[in-house]
Structures are given as C-alpha cells and as structure tokens.
Amino acid sequence: QRWTDWNESYFDGALMPPHIGFDVTAARSLGGCAPTTSYGGLIQISINCGLAFGTNADWVNNPKGEGHLHLVEDLLLRFTVRQFVLEVRKETEEGYGGYGPKFAAEANRIGKELQLGAVKARRRGHDDAALICAHWPHCVRSEDFYGADVTPRLLALGRGGSAGGATRRAPGPSAGFLDMMLSYLRAGQAEQLERLLSAHRERLGRAPTERGAVSRKVESGEQDLDGSPLGEVRFDADWLGRNEGLVRKMVGAIVECGTFGEVPFLADALEAAGCREDRILRHLRADVEHTARCWVLRGLMGQGVVGHSAGPGPAADG
C-alpha cells in the first residue's frame, strides 16, 4: 500500500508493481533493488527479513513499533526511488553503485516535499560534509524520528555507518573485543589485559592518519602476504566454542561491525582456544589492512577446510 501511494504521489503512476521479497542479506546490507527478479521478471526489491519482521534483536528493540515501521518504510521508499531511476530513467548508475546523480535528484525532489535536507551522489574532498544519497532518507531524518524502537547499530547501518553518513568505521572496540577483555579479567590475567589495551590504544592513535584499506589479492595456489605457500588450511570448529565461544563472538563482531583493526587480537583468542596453525596466526598478525574477504575470517565462519580457490573469485586481504 505504501509503494502504491508513493507511485501515485511522487511518480504519477509511472512504475510497474515490483516483486517485493523478504530475504536473508549480507551482514551489513538491509536490502536492495535489482533490475530483474530471480525468475526473469522486472524489478526486484528485497528487504532483510530480520529487519522487516523485527526478529533481529541486534537491530530491532520493538517489532512493529512506530519507529521500526518508519525505518522499514523509509528503506522501501529508497528502493522505490531506485526503481524509478532504473525503470523510467533507464539509468543503472553503475559507477555510483546504483545511487548516482539521477537518484540524488529524485531523492532531493521528494525530500523537499518531506522537508528533508539535501543529499548528493558523492563527496568532493575530505572537507566535504555532504550527506550521501545511497543512505537516503535515513541519513536526513531527525535523531528522534525512529525513537527507541530500533537499535543504534541498525540506525548506523541505515545511515551508512554514522549519523553523518560517513562509511569509514573506527577500528573498535567491538563487542568481540570487549568479550576478550572480560575473559582476561575473569581469568585474572592483568598482564595480558594491559598488553591488549596498550596495543588497541596504539591503533586508535594511528587511525586518523592511516590510509583507507588497500585491496591485496591472493591467488589460488600462489603465496600469502609473507611469501609462504597457501595450499589448504584446516579450521577446527572447536576453536569457536572454547572459552565461552570467544572466537565465535569476536569473528561475528569484527565482520558485523567492520572493526578489522581487531584482527590481530583475534589471533590471541585463537591461540588461547588451542589454534597452532602458524599460517592462520601469522596472517592475522601481518601488518596489513584486512577486510571481510580475509581468507581466515571466511574460513572461521565456514568452520571447515578452505582451499583458497573457494568462493567467487580470488580471496582478498584488504
């Protein structure tokens, strides 16, 4: 019904009804709008099912509360504007991830009616504080529009990583890092805790001047970052369950929150859980920027054997 209302009021009824589905999406994705459906039809709008039905407790405090409904409706509005650009304007805006100048123009046209601030396709230089249209309209809503019905984590995802729409995330601490601190406290390991905090403080001090992640590709059958052969590495599922599931918690928090600066500390947690695989530990402690495509993170999430040709394309360590 909301889609039908917007089609009439904002697009003069020019849109064809899309296929709207509720699906499992990537960890940091709330949904999307694609030009074709899985069965070959036109326009598919997908919304994360845990968000839509309020079953993801990390995102939703009050399922079907007014703030929850507002956030889901805003997400559908974003994808409806994207549908208009794809279907009527015939623009994919691939260089902008689908949210380029055409999308920004339509979002600002509608936003003016809704009394929302303006957005643009991309920033120009470090001093440009513009809000990015890929996160519209969440990024231009007032702080209290969604209330306490949704969590800060969900609001940050909707707004692109922060209230200001910036996508770069600080290197922590995440829930996994805090779990590691608690495990040291409970064990009375003051020296290890002090070392952990000192290392993290050093990383935080470097963060403002560090460059963004640089993609490094590791081809199947070749070499890891330190020149060692890759081959096949076995990941023991028992590592994830020991020490009250600390490794599992850290991996989940690092991937979910994007706190890849904590990857070296994951090596410490793995060692404490019994990991003696030198290639894994050495890789995690390498002085590089990691991403969600890190072969170790993917191996731990898969809890099995990873040959480095696994997955679509080469594994990447950012």
Side-chain angles (χ1 to χ4, degrees), residues 230-235 277 279-280 295 304-308:
L230 287 176
E232 193 172 71
V233 180
R234 182 170 295 277
F235 293 83
E277 174 55 71
R279 286 173 294 178
I280 292 176
W295 62 266
V305 176
V306 169
H308 293 272

Side-chain angles (χ1 to χ4, degrees), residues 5-164:
D5 293 343
W6 295 327
N7 187 26
E8 293 299 326
S9 59
Y10 297 142
F11 305 111
D12 296 326
L15 301 177
M16 296 295 293
H19 176 84
I20 300 178
F22 304 97
D23 307 304
V24 176
T25 62
R28 295 187 58 81
S29 171
L30 302 181
C33 178
T36 56
T37 68
S38 57
Y39 53 82
L42 296 177
I43 304 296
Q44 166 130 352
I45 290 177
S46 300
I47 296 178
N48 180 281
C49 55
L51 168 61
F53 303 122
T55 56
N56 187 332
D58 288 336
W59 290 354
V60 181
N61 292 323
N62 181 22
K64 305 309 176 188
E66 186 175 348
H68 172 222
L69 292 175
H70 281 330
L71 193 138
V72 175
E73 286 184 351
D74 273 354
L75 189 65
L76 179 59
L77 178 57
R78 178 193 301 175
F79 298 149
T80 304
V81 176
R82 166 89 168 125
Q83 177 187 355
F84 178 79
V85 175
L86 282 169
E87 185 180 309
V88 178
R89 297 297 186 213
K90 307 297 183 184
E91 291 280 353
T92 59
E93 300 197 292
E94 292 180 2
Y96 296 86
Y99 296 91
K102 295 289 193 306
F103 179 92
E106 296 300 327
N108 285 332
R109 175 179 63 82
I110 296 169
K112 189 174 181 180
E113 294 187 40
L114 298 174
Q115 297 184 323
L116 299 177
V119 292
K120 58 196 279 189
R122 62 172 51 137
R123 295 183 182 88
R124 301 294 181 185
H126 295 295
D127 296 330
D128 190 345
L131 296 171
I132 302 304
C133 67
H135 314 306
W136 182 89
H138 301 101
C139 64
V140 290
R141 289 294 192 186
S142 64
E143 291 288 334
D144 60 352
F145 185 71
Y146 306 110
D149 292 334
V150 300
T151 68
R153 177 180 292 186
L154 175 61
L155 195 55
L157 284 174
R159 290 176 167 176
S162 73

